[in-house]
Amino acid sequence: LCTQFKDSVKKVVDTIYNQKPFPDKNVTPELNYCVRESKNRNIVAGYGAGEKAGFFVPDAKISRAEATKVILETARQQQSTIKFANEPLTNKPWFYNYVLTAQREKLYPLGRFLELDTFDPAKFKNWLDAEMAKSGSAFMQWISGETTRADFAIMAARLIDKSDCLLNDQDKE
């Protein structure tokens, strides 16, 4: 656990992290190495723009887009079988490929948007592109808005179900 790293592991984490640390000074000491290791593994990142650019901002609420990234990057660290979308991000938000991936993998809770639940990946991509072009898009407000702990838990559980070796055991060994 990141809260119980040995000193030798902390040195390695610090060596990587200190190359480009978060400028925040208010990270809870007992979670310091969790934040550092998550940054080193690209699971979390600092804000990309604004007055908090580059900061982690530990007390900030998390958006659905950020939650989607955290879940999918964690899956990537676990070498899951998820195939990540890799569309060019020119004129697209940073979370574009994460949303495409999460929709294809059916990680989002049901009943939020019919298109999210029922469209095949190609049709969803076209719909998402159209939504991004709309001023005041309900979907873009939703994905950029804060998520609930319940929705986050649903997404995490759906990811676990995808890679649960006991649930997906074919040879029953």
Side-chain angles (χ1 to χ4, degrees):
L1 293 172
C2 56
T3 56
Q4 300 172 358
F5 282 161
K6 294 179 181 179
D7 287 340
S8 59
V9 174
K10 287 180 179 180
K11 274 186 168 180
V12 173
V13 170
D14 285 340
T15 299
I16 297 167
Y17 177 80
N18 288 335
Q19 293 174 19
K20 194 170 182 187
F22 289 130
D24 305 75
K25 302 296 182 213
N26 61 334
V27 176
T28 307
E30 61 269 13
L31 298 178
N32 189 32
Y33 280 94
C34 297
V35 171
R36 288 173 180 227
E37 182 65 359
S38 293
K39 182 180 189 299
N40 290 351
R41 291 177 177 258
N42 197 32
I43 293 170
V44 298
Y47 282 87
E51 66 182 48
K52 296 291 186 182
F55 282 77
F56 176 62
V57 193
D59 297 331
K61 306 287 187 209
I62 190 169
S63 73
R64 281 179 191 83
E66 291 171 307
T68 302
K69 177 190 178 193
V70 168
I71 287 170
L72 289 172
E73 287 298 340
T74 301
R76 191 187 314 258
Q77 295 297 315
Q78 299 302 314
Q79 300 171 350
S80 79
T81 58
I82 290 177
K83 293 183 176 115
F84 285 78
N86 193 22
E87 297 291 326
L89 292 179
T90 306
N91 298 319
K92 306 276 194 238
W94 66 265
F95 54 80
Y96 184 71
N97 284 318
Y98 292 110
V99 171
L100 293 176
T101 301
Q103 187 273 340
R104 182 180 59 234
E105 297 294 331
K106 303 200 178 306
L107 297 183
Y108 291 115
L110 296 174
R112 303 315 191 262
F113 289 86
L114 180 67
E115 299 82 358
L116 196 60
D117 298 344
T118 62
F119 282 7
D120 67 64
K123 190 172 182 181
F124 179 78
K125 179 183 176 301
N126 291 336
W127 178 82
L128 179 58
D129 289 344
E131 286 298 299
M132 290 187 324
K134 283 185 196 173
S135 177
S137 159
F139 181 80
M140 294 306 288
Q141 290 176 4
W142 178 79
I143 199 69
S144 299
E146 292 176 4
T147 193
T148 64
R149 293 169 58 94
D151 280 359
F152 189 86
I154 289 168
M155 292 175 67
R158 287 179 172 214
L159 176 66
I160 290 167
D161 285 348
K162 292 188 150 307
S163 58
D164 186 336
C165 65
L166 297 175
L167 187 67
N168 300 314
D169 187 11
Q170 298 297 316
D171 61 8
K172 308 294 184 214
E173 290 183 8

